[in-house]
């Protein structure tokens, strides 16, 4: 599932991915509770260029990678809540160029390989601005290739005829608001 632009609001959970593939690019989400994305099992997930406006510190984090065994990247996003990686996991998660609410928004409590690069946090004082957050986690070129592969590969394509047995679902101009789970993908 690829979402190349859009907006949604007030879902208990906007995206839940278990063993599937999800790319969310250039979206805006606002909500009062619940999380934005939960990913588990062998999921492949990328959220890039998006705004996620949720209150900080609610019971469910904005990004929940519990027992994560897949590959994920959060890139150039603006977030007001946490990215939490928890439990045993063998996955790879890259959080790069993300602006969060404070220096604690990235929380790796897992055995998964989770990396924060070039993070920023909102700073207030004489106006608004941002301050650098220290990089966290170890990575190499193979890790970067793996975590960036989905965003480099998935591009909008022209609609055309497909071979027999191939499903291509495209949702255009769909609003998702006020559901317990806005979109649930299961492979």
């Amino acid at each position: 599932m690829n979402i190349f632009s859009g907006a949604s609001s007030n879902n208990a959970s906007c995206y839940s991915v278990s063993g599937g593939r999800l790319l969310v690019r250039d979206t805006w989400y606002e909500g009062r509770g619940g999380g934005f994305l939960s990913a588990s099992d062998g999921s492949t997930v990328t959220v890039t260029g998006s705004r996620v406006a949720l209150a900080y510190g609610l019971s469910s984090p904005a990004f929940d990678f519990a027992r994560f065994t897949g590959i994920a990247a959060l890139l150039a996003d603006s977030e007001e809540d946490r990215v939490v990686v928890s439990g045993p996991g063998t996955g790879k998660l890259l959080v790069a160029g993300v602006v969060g609410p404070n220096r604690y928004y990235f929380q790796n409590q897992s055995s998964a390989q989770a990396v924060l690069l070039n993070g920023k946090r909102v700073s207030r004082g004489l106006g608004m601005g941002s301050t650098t957050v220290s990089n966290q986690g170890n990575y190499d070129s193979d890790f970067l290739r793996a975590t960036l592969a989905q965003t480099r590969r998935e591009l909008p394509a022209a609609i055309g005829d497909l071979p027999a047995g191939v499903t291509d679902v495209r949702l255009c101009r769909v609003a998702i608001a006020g559901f317990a789970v806005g979109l649930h993908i299961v492979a």
Side-chain angles (χ1 to χ4, degrees):
M1 167 73 64
N2 292 332
I3 299 169
F4 290 111
S5 67
S8 56
S9 66
N10 294 320
N11 301 308
S13 172
C14 205
Y15 304 105
S16 172
V17 186
S18 177
R21 300 175 58 82
L22 174 68
L23 177 125
V24 177
R25 181 176 289 150
D26 301 325
T27 65
W28 184 295
Y29 176 78
E30 286 188 32
R32 290 186 292 268
F36 175 72
L37 173 119
S38 63
S40 61
D41 303 323
S43 303
T44 301
V45 175
T46 299
V47 178
T48 182
S50 295
R51 173 85 166 97
V52 179
L54 281 166
Y56 185 84
L58 298 173
S59 60
S60 296
F63 293 88
D64 187 5
F65 295 92
R67 299 170 305 283
F68 188 63
T69 60
I71 296 176
L74 307 179
L75 307 169
D77 296 322
S78 174
E79 305 165 4
E80 291 184 19
D81 192 31
R82 300 152 292 151
V83 176
V84 177
V85 189
S86 62
T90 57
K92 298 178 186 312
L93 169 65
L94 172 63
V95 178
V98 170
V99 178
N102 58 42
R103 73 181 70 151
Y104 308 109
Y105 71 90
F106 177 76
Q107 300 173 12
N108 183 10
Q109 308 155 354
S110 172
S111 54
Q113 185 179 8
V115 174
L116 173 66
L117 290 178
N118 299 322
K120 297 276 190 176
R121 67 178 175 90
V122 173
S123 61
R124 292 173 174 84
L126 299 173
M128 292 286 284
S130 64
T131 305
T132 300
V133 174
S134 298
N135 291 341
Q136 298 177 38
N138 298 312
Y139 63 95
D140 58 19
S141 58
D142 290 337
F143 171 86
L144 293 175
R145 275 189 207 90
T147 55
L148 295 172
Q150 184 179 31
T151 196
R152 295 177 69 195
R153 179 181 59 246
E154 302 293 333
L155 302 169
I159 297 173
D161 292 335
L162 298 171
V166 174
T167 301
D168 184 3
V169 176
R170 297 175 190 228
L171 306 173
C172 299
R173 298 183 179 175
V174 174
I176 299 174
F179 291 92
V181 174
L183 179 63
H184 181 79
I185 301 169
V186 178

